[in-house]
Amino acid sequence: MEISRSSTPEAPPQDLWSSILDSVSSSRSIPSKQIIVLGQPSSGKSALASALLQKSVPDEQKDDQRTDFAIGYDFADVRDEADEDTLARLSVYTVPSSNPSYTSLLSHFLPPRSSLLNTLVVIVLDWTRPWTFVEELETWLTWVETWSKGDGSRELEILREESRERLQTYLQHYTEPSADPLPATNSTLSNTILPLGPGTFTHNSAGIPIIVTCTKADLIDDGNDMVAGTSGMGSMVKGKGGEWEERTDGVMQVLRTICLKYGAALFYSTPLPANLQVLRQYALHLLFVPPAPSPAGASSTEVQAPVRNIFPFTHKPNTLDRDRIVVPAGWDSWGKIAVLRDGFDAKMWGEVWERDLDGEDGEPGAKKAYANLVPDQGSKPPPLPPFNNPTPEQAFLAKNYDENSKKSDRDPRGAFRNPQDFAGAAAGIVGPLGSSSFSLPNVERALSEMETGIGGTSTGLGDAASRRLAARPISTSASTGRPSALSALGTSSSPTGISAARSPVTPSVPGAPSPGAGGQTQHEVLQNFFQSLLLTKDRTNRSPSKPTNGAEEG
């Protein structure tokens, strides 16, 4: 029996499986959502990041002395209410401080062109340092504006316009949550868009959802009498009172006015899990805000069904409980801000905020106005010691040189500049000799003492002997070049062969005595004296020996 076969070949099965896998992948693709947590060190960013991801805070992160990374990152899956399907992948980025070396890294991890429509910014303010609120808000909000501009490409500008229209539509159609069920009719849906109130959404050109979160709000109602600086808030944490309530309400009014200009929400948070859970729900609510309706659909006569947010926010606004403040974006206005405390001018605060952003130096801005409301009570670093500016080396030496040059006794070279001042000095002084040192009696006395010490007996060398020695001619042997008297003694090895021509020449000294009576100068007297010493030494050193041959006979 033959088996019938089809003449048409079947398609390869790998193409079928590829199409099935592609369809499943496209239908079950998970969107990515990002949250950027901005704040200064030790402001509670780690606790907020863990609450947003529904993760417990590690023990090592509870210590205030922990080491922060340049960019902190963590992620978690966002599931629906039944915990069955994964709706999105939530990533949380944190920076340790506002230093540009840290904030500049976010542009590499989160380029605005690919992440602008799926990013939420949480700005963390620390209630233990309330005097820094305005300054930190200016720093972080300016950075958000710079980051959203990116490289300024045309594609990015289109995304910015789309994001701004989405946030503006959300603010215009905001309705306060109510326990009553939604009406069955679509009477609330209208093509008429209500204009935004004064001072609302005047900034934030990219329409990025922003939540300003003031952490450690549980310290505001602390009734313990703390010492200034213990908790960081100083005199603001000392229990309830008129001035205390006025300041805290004033801080809240300033924050709400600034948030209104950027279309941002304001939250006060505490370490309680219930309080942090409300913040997480609102963050997911803003991340999944539906896009704005297209202009073609708005111009049509048919009423469009609203796009439902998969994470609705059902908590009502709260501006009375200072540890659980909830001001959603789109609910607040200048009128509601003024109701909290009389005497607050929201328009004035909006103007001074513009001055700080524009860099105007003529009139005080928001920082100075806020410093009058909440003075800086933070711990100041100890002042630096005065700078010790040393005197340049050449200036120091020139000063001392001038002082020493005016005092002759301070310059050792002064003794050689005026020899007349030392005319009566002793003969042993080092330097120019006075006239008294060359007097003939002194020289004769010194010659006599030296001759006595050499010969063992006094030779009685006096004036007459000096004259005879000086008058004796000193002949020089032609063959040896030595004096004839020395040649006759045969002392060729003795160091007496110093000719008169090689004797040192004594320079003439002003004020020296004239030649003596015998017509001899002092130089000649000294020369004859030394020649006589050499002759005397030769006589005493010659030991008596037996004469030999010719010498005996002679």
Side-chain angles (χ1 to χ4, degrees), residues 30 32 44 69 71 84 94 110 124 131 190 192 222 293 315 326 369 376 392 413 423 444 449 487 495 513 551:
I30 301 175
S32 297
F69 295 101
I71 294 293
E84 295 180 356
T94 59
L110 290 175
V124 182
W131 49 85
S190 176
T192 303
D222 196 344
H315 292 269
V326 176
D376 187 354
R413 298 175 297 177
E444 292 177 356
E449 293 176 357
S487 301

Side-chain angles (χ1 to χ4, degrees), residues 451-513:
E451 189 178 48
T452 302
I454 295 175
T457 57
S458 176
T459 58
L461 183 63
D463 295 340
S466 299
R467 294 189 188 97
R468 287 195 301 271
L469 290 173
R472 178 186 300 177
I474 302 176
S475 59
T476 305
S477 175
S479 61
T480 61
R482 297 182 299 170
S484 59
L486 299 180
S487 301
L489 292 175
T491 57
S492 59
S493 62
S494 62
T496 59
I498 305 175
S499 62
R502 299 178 60 186
S503 61
V505 179
T506 304
S508 62
V509 181

Side-chain angles (χ1 to χ4, degrees), residues 355-434:
R355 293 172 191 166
D356 277 356
L357 296 182
D358 296 339
E360 298 180 3
D361 299 332
E363 299 181 3
K367 293 180 182 178
K368 294 182 180 180
Y370 187 76
N372 297 330
L373 176 64
V374 183
D376 187 354
Q377 299 178 6
S379 58
K380 302 297 186 300
L384 296 176
F387 179 71
N388 185 13
N389 189 11
T391 305
E393 180 180 357
Q394 295 301 323
F396 174 78
L397 295 176
K399 176 183 178 182
N400 288 271
Y401 176 79
D402 296 339
E403 294 179 357
N404 291 330
S405 62
K406 298 176 182 178
K407 301 177 182 179
S408 59
D409 57 336
R410 300 292 298 273
D411 190 357
R413 298 175 297 177
F416 301 96
R417 293 177 179 173
N418 191 7
Q420 298 296 335
D421 297 342
F422 298 90
I429 191 172
V430 178
L433 300 177

Side-chain angles (χ1 to χ4, degrees), residues 304-375:
Q304 296 182 355
V307 180
R308 179 178 176 272
N309 193 326
I310 59 177
F311 287 99
F313 185 70
T314 58
H315 292 269
K316 292 184 178 182
N318 184 3
T319 59
L320 300 178
D321 299 327
R322 291 183 174 85
D323 57 342
R324 296 187 300 271
I325 296 296
V326 176
V327 182
W331 175 83
D332 213 353
S333 63
W334 279 1
K336 296 178 181 178
I337 295 174
V339 169
L340 183 64
R341 175 76 57 177
D342 295 336
F344 182 81
D345 190 355
K347 182 179 180 181
M348 182 273 295
W349 279 97
E351 293 175 354
V352 296
W353 177 266
E354 296 291 342
R355 293 172 191 166
D356 277 356
L357 296 182
D358 296 339
E360 298 180 3
D361 299 332
E363 299 181 3
K367 293 180 182 178
K368 294 182 180 180
Y370 187 76
N372 297 330
L373 176 64
V374 183

Side-chain angles (χ1 to χ4, degrees), residues 14-15 54 79 87 90 102 105 125 216 227 248 314 333 378 402 417 421 516 526:
Q14 57 268 21
D15 295 341
Q54 289 188 332
R79 298 182 178 274
L87 302 179
L90 181 62
Y102 298 133
L105 298 176
L125 304 178
K216 306 176 186 178
V227 181
T248 54
T314 58
S333 63
D402 296 339
R417 293 177 179 173
D421 297 342
L526 292 176

